[in-house]
Amino acid sequence: KLLNQEDLKGANKSMNFMADFVMIPMQFIIFFFTVYYFVIAFFGVWRRAEEKILKPEKSFAVIVAAHNEEQVIGPLVDNLKMLNYPNSLYDIFVIADNCTDNTATIAQKNGALVFERTNHEQKGKGFAMEWMFSKLFKLEKKYDAVAIFDADNLVHPNFLLEMNSKLCKGDKVIQGYLDAKNPHDTWVSGTFAIAFWVTNHIWHLAKSNIGLSSVLGGTGMCISTDILEEFGWGATCLTEDMEFTMKVLAKGVRTTWAHDAIVYDEKPLTFMQSWRQRKRWAQGHFDIAQRYIPKMIKEGIKQKDIRIIDAVIHLLQPHFLLISTAFVIASYIQIQVPPFYTNIYSLLPSQILSIIMIGQYLLPVIILMRIRAQWQTWAYLILYPVFIYSWIPITFMGFLHRNRKAWSHTQHTRSISYEEFVMKNTDFNKEAFAEKQIIK
């Protein structure tokens, strides 16, 4: 009996050692990611003073990628025609990509230059942009930069003026502020909007304040044409924006942040629309991670560039979510059975963990206060954890399907003019039309 008990104790020690071999590194990874992004987030609660160049100098090709967007393309083109920027310095191009509706006709009628593309093998925005850039560079008229939007967007009147200022200061790849066109339509669009507002501040603005690189967000992007001509687009995966970001960052070109270049994006109305869109993002994220992380680590060390190493950490984010989920599950199991691994959190000062826990819930509140969120948004904040934790199964499915390349189109139906949008949002109304002393 004693021998059996000794054998049992020895076996348990061996199993605990094996568990620690996995669980202790896992906990250190989780702790590192949590503290790293928690510290960065606090740099997003303030803004650096910025001196802007208000004289329009740069010329823009404003490009809209559209697939069956007849319900929303008209208001966007009308909106783009009224930007606070000289007409002679920008043209509006619409890619009618594999359209089977009246997108091309409506866009052309409203004053856009329409390029119709039909290719049923190479589907998706990345391929459409690649095709459009090749057409653009062959035109007689040349542009200093391209500004890229989705068909469901509305754009702040000063968007090009803000991007002009960034370009004049030497920035080459720039991401604008991604706001919401329909933040109060449903609880899904509401929580989606909160996520974007929080990310704009505690991620994009924070990294901008400390000199790290942002990541392009698919719309509201501005890219200098000399960068496109030098490196090519070449980004045709499910998350083409992230792919291009990593491609040029590996060459030393960071993505900068234009906090006042605002784009209003239509957020999904239903949970299933949100699920499909975010699953596509997760698939693309894993795809880019497995293709770019080795290259980024090599270039980061070679160039001694912390911005590239930070981008590697960003590419590992979905992996971190899966690891932290596995740890939480193991923690619940450990509560029910005899301890089988060492919990390093029990060895850390409880004050650190308390500060991080409180801060994670407090930061979204601070951001909503800063942007003067309307009362509906505060009500949606109750459901915000549902949105956040739903990322766990979405990320898991994205990992399983990471090698699938099929593009899933999000149908957009929220047709609203820029003027109607401004009148609906009284907080924005006070400053938007006051700025319409058109420079044209």
Side-chain angles (χ1 to χ4, degrees):
K1 240 183 202 183
L2 286 173
L3 187 61
N4 288 340
Q5 286 178 354
E6 288 299 321
D7 289 344
L8 188 59
K9 284 180 182 179
N12 286 338
K13 281 183 180 180
S14 297
M15 290 178 65
N16 290 351
F17 176 78
M18 292 295 292
D20 281 348
F21 188 76
V22 174
M23 297 300 293
I24 289 179
M26 182 184 291
Q27 291 174 80
F28 276 114
I29 291 170
I30 294 169
F31 185 71
F32 168 77
F33 269 84
T34 303
V35 172
Y36 185 79
Y37 278 108
F38 183 72
V39 171
I40 285 178
F42 272 96
F43 288 94
V45 298
W46 55 277
R47 285 188 65 185
R48 277 184 172 183
E50 182 180 358
E51 188 175 337
K52 297 181 180 181
I53 297 171
L54 299 177
K55 180 183 176 183
E57 295 180 21
K58 302 295 183 178
S59 59
F60 294 88
V62 177
I63 299 175
V64 181
H67 170 69
N68 289 344
E69 302 284 12
E70 63 181 5
Q71 295 194 58
V72 294
I73 193 65
L76 173 60
V77 174
D78 289 341
N79 170 207
L80 291 172
K81 286 160 58 182
M82 293 301 293
L83 299 183
N84 289 348
Y85 209 73
N87 287 330
S88 60
L89 288 179
Y90 76 98
D91 292 311
I92 304 166
F93 297 86
V94 171
I95 314 167
D97 184 40
N98 289 312
C99 290
T100 56
D101 64 358
N102 294 318
T103 296
T105 303
I106 294 171
Q108 193 166 33
K109 182 180 177 182
N110 285 58
L113 301 169
V114 178
F115 285 71
E116 296 188 65
R117 173 182 179 268
T118 303
N119 189 324
H120 298 298
E121 299 299 320
Q122 297 180 328
K123 294 182 179 180
K125 184 178 174 183
F127 288 110
M129 299 303 300
E130 181 87 78
W131 178 85
M132 184 67 228
F133 291 144
S134 67
K135 300 285 185 186
L136 189 69
F137 296 147
K138 292 176 184 176
L139 296 178
E140 186 176 342
K141 186 174 181 178
K142 303 301 177 185
Y143 302 90
D144 294 311
V146 298
I148 302 166
F149 302 102
D150 287 339
D152 60 297
N153 296 162
L154 291 173
V155 182
H156 191 287
N158 285 350
F159 184 91
L160 291 184
L161 200 60
E162 294 290 340
M163 289 301 184
N164 171 78
S165 179
K166 292 288 185 181
L167 290 166
C168 288
K169 291 179 180 180
D171 293 335
K172 297 291 187 179
V173 181
I174 313 156
Q175 177 59 50
Y177 187 105
L178 296 179
D179 210 322
K181 184 170 76 172
N182 59 330
H184 306 131
D185 281 3
T186 68
W187 76 268
V188 175
S189 68
T191 52
F192 220 110
I194 293 172
F196 270 73
W197 291 327
V198 171
T199 301
N200 285 338
H201 288 80
I202 71 170
W203 203 84
H204 288 292
L205 179 60
K207 290 197 171 190
S208 176
N209 282 335
I210 57 179
L212 297 175
S213 178
S214 281
V215 173
L216 292 174
T219 186
M221 308 183 292
C222 180
I223 305 170
S224 175
T225 49
D226 61 352
I227 290 294
L228 285 170
E229 289 178 323
E230 181 179 355
F231 300 114
W233 176 246
T236 55
C237 73
L238 295 179
T239 47
E240 74 293 327
D241 44 7
M242 185 183 294
E243 183 175 11
F244 186 77
T245 300
M246 299 304 161
K247 175 182 176 179
V248 296
L249 183 56
K251 303 294 184 181
V253 181
R254 78 178 180 118
T255 298
T256 55
W257 176 248
H259 197 76
D260 296 320
I262 305 170
V263 177
Y264 300 90
D265 185 50
E266 182 179 323
K267 306 307 178 191
L269 297 176
T270 69
F271 186 77
M272 286 313 299
Q273 284 181 330
S274 164
W275 178 286
R276 286 191 293 270
Q277 187 178 61
R278 289 187 288 157
K279 179 174 173 286
R280 173 170 61 82
W281 293 347
Q283 288 174 245
H285 199 135
F286 279 115
D287 173 40
I288 293 168
Q290 68 184 13
R291 288 190 290 120
Y292 275 85
I293 283 178
K295 181 191 303 184
M296 301 293 283
I297 292 174
K298 180 181 176 182
E299 289 299 323
I301 295 171
K302 179 181 175 183
Q303 299 178 37
K304 298 183 174 130
D305 193 336
I306 190 64
R307 300 172 302 181
I308 300 177
I309 300 302
D310 172 73
V312 172
I313 295 172
H314 173 65
L315 289 177
L316 287 169
Q317 268 193 324
H319 304 79
F320 158 68
L321 180 59
L322 295 181
I323 290 172
S324 58
T325 302
F327 173 71
V328 170
I329 293 171
S331 299
Y332 280 116
I333 294 172
Q334 177 135 297
I335 292 172
Q336 305 300 324
V337 301
F340 59 90
Y341 70 86
T342 303
N343 189 336
I344 67 167
Y345 291 96
S346 64
L347 308 177
L348 294 172
S350 60
Q351 294 88 340
I352 294 177
L353 302 178
S354 298
I355 290 171
I356 292 174
M357 186 175 295
I358 293 170
Q360 287 176 335
Y361 286 98
L362 192 59
L363 280 170
V365 173
I366 293 172
I367 301 306
L368 293 186
M369 290 174 66
R370 283 204 60 188
I371 67 171
R372 299 192 300 274
Q374 296 184 21
W375 68 266
Q376 296 100 317
T377 298
W378 290 102
Y380 291 138
L381 190 60
I382 298 170
L383 293 170
Y384 186 56
V386 176
F387 175 87
I388 294 300
Y389 288 115
S390 67
W391 268 110
I392 295 172
I394 288 171
T395 302
F396 181 70
M397 295 301 295
F399 175 75
L400 293 180
H401 300 158
R402 63 192 180 280
N403 294 320
R404 295 186 185 180
K405 310 297 182 184
W407 178 271
S408 59
H409 174 65
T410 302
Q411 186 176 6
H412 300 117
T413 58
R414 195 66 161 85
S415 182
I416 181 173
S417 70
Y418 184 76
E419 288 76 9
E420 289 172 323
F421 171 77
V422 169
M423 298 311 292
K424 274 177 165 286
N425 293 269
T426 53
D427 287 341
F428 182 71
N429 186 29
K430 294 173 185 175
E431 52 108 3
F433 281 149
E435 292 175 348
K436 256 194 165 181
Q437 68 276 13
I438 310 282
I439 303 173
K440 295 182 185 289

